[in-house]
Amino acid sequence: MVGEVTFLDMVVFIAAMALGQGMQAAQTPEAYTRNVTIQVQGRYLLYLPPDYAKNPHKRYPLILFLHGSGERGTDLDKVKVHGPPKEIEKGRQFEFIILSPQCDDRGGWQVPSLMGLLDEAEHKFRVDKDREYLTGLSMGGMGTYALAAAQPKRFAAIAPISGAANASIAPKIKDIPIWATHGDHDPSVNIAGEQPLIDALRQLGAEVKFDVIPGGLHDVWTPVYQSHALYDWFLRHTLRGGVHGTS
């Protein structure tokens, strides 16, 4: 089952701020904590497995797919040009619930919005919380790293493609199985923007696979999403159960 959905969720954040008491240097700043409620909303493509309606007690693994910068906007059909949505559009069936949100054209992926979407999905659909997976390409690869760093205990495995992130996030995501892919001739997101993070993760003993495609340009994701290997690899990982089978 495929559909277009609008989500509206409330995400609560705790912000600690230190405020000075006037302009006198002799005074000591005091800290206070306040609750800030942020309303987020957006639209996404929803795919439910073929047997979803027939098995009301079954819980399903979930993939959150984040598109690249070229698919931003308000036309959800643009999200179908790459990744799992493209495969679904061609008639391919999956055993995952697949959420493919669309980023607006004002900027990149916003972690609070993605957190809200996942919270709502867990509430609305029969999601197996031990098998939530995250993947994205280009800007979506960057979003994959950012979201994983913000919620490292949420995802059983992640797969950024043609992405980048600062090596400083390595300690935050070192316990998440990672399968990254990058072309060594990528003219859009240079591999140098990802290699230091991969090196840092390996130094921390993380489970990380880094496929460097010789001569690969920016679009090295098409064969990855077309094959079965990534989806099989996802399913071998569970949040609490570790790895099943070989990777």
Side-chain angles (χ1 to χ4, degrees):
M1 183 172 123
V2 184
E4 299 180 2
V5 183
T6 298
F7 71 91
L8 176 63
D9 201 21
M10 304 297 288
V11 184
V12 177
F13 298 90
I14 306 298
M17 302 179 63
L19 295 183
Q21 301 296 316
M23 300 296 293
Q24 299 180 30
Q27 292 183 326
T28 302
E30 296 182 6
Y32 78 92
T33 300
R34 66 177 180 179
N35 292 340
V36 181
T37 300
I38 301 176
Q39 185 182 78
V40 297
Q41 68 179 59
R43 299 169 69 234
Y44 62 96
L45 296 173
L46 167 69
Y47 173 84
L48 297 177
D51 65 341
Y52 185 87
K54 300 176 183 178
N55 293 283
H57 303 295
K58 181 178 179 180
R59 294 196 171 272
Y60 292 81
L62 177 146
I63 293 176
L64 177 63
F65 167 70
L66 305 181
H67 64 69
S69 61
E71 293 75 65
R72 292 178 294 183
T74 58
D75 180 4
L76 272 173
D77 283 340
K78 294 171 67 175
V79 181
K80 302 175 184 178
V81 301
H82 296 301
K86 178 181 179 180
E87 297 300 302
I88 293 167
E89 192 72 2
K90 294 190 298 185
R92 185 171 179 177
Q93 295 184 339
F94 291 95
E95 55 186 299
F96 303 86
I97 296 171
I98 301 179
L99 304 180
S100 305
Q102 185 172 40
C103 182
D104 64 36
D105 55 11
R106 293 174 294 178
W109 289 108
Q110 301 298 311
V111 167
S113 180
L114 296 173
M115 289 166 55
L117 170 59
L118 285 170
D119 288 344
E120 183 170 276
E122 290 176 353
H123 177 71
K124 283 188 173 181
F125 309 111
R126 298 193 305 278
V127 175
D128 182 346
K129 294 183 181 181
D130 283 341
R131 295 188 294 167
E132 292 188 14
Y133 309 104
L134 174 61
T135 184
L137 57 91
S138 191
M139 183 185 78
M142 300 175 192
T144 294
Y145 279 128
L147 181 56
Q151 295 204 306
K153 298 183 181 298
R154 185 166 206 160
F155 300 102
I158 66 172
I161 305 177
S162 301
N166 194 288
S168 63
I169 71 168
K172 297 178 180 178
I173 64 173
K174 65 181 179 62
D175 296 324
I176 309 174
I178 301 168
W179 185 354
T181 306
H182 214 126
D184 64 1
H185 282 64
D186 189 332
S188 300
V189 181
N190 194 286
I191 194 172
E194 187 170 25
Q195 186 68 63
L197 171 60
I198 300 299
D199 294 341
L201 286 166
R202 286 172 172 165
Q203 289 177 2
L204 292 171
E207 180 192 335
V208 56
K209 298 173 61 174
F210 190 38
D211 286 351
V212 177
I213 309 303
L217 301 178
H218 195 44
D219 180 1
V220 293
W221 53 76
T222 294
V224 174
Y225 289 123
Q226 284 179 340
S227 76
H228 291 277
L230 175 63
Y231 309 105
D232 291 343
W233 179 81
F234 274 155
L235 290 173
R236 286 197 292 269
H237 293 83
T238 64
L239 197 59
R240 296 175 181 83
V243 180
H244 298 268
T246 58
S247 60

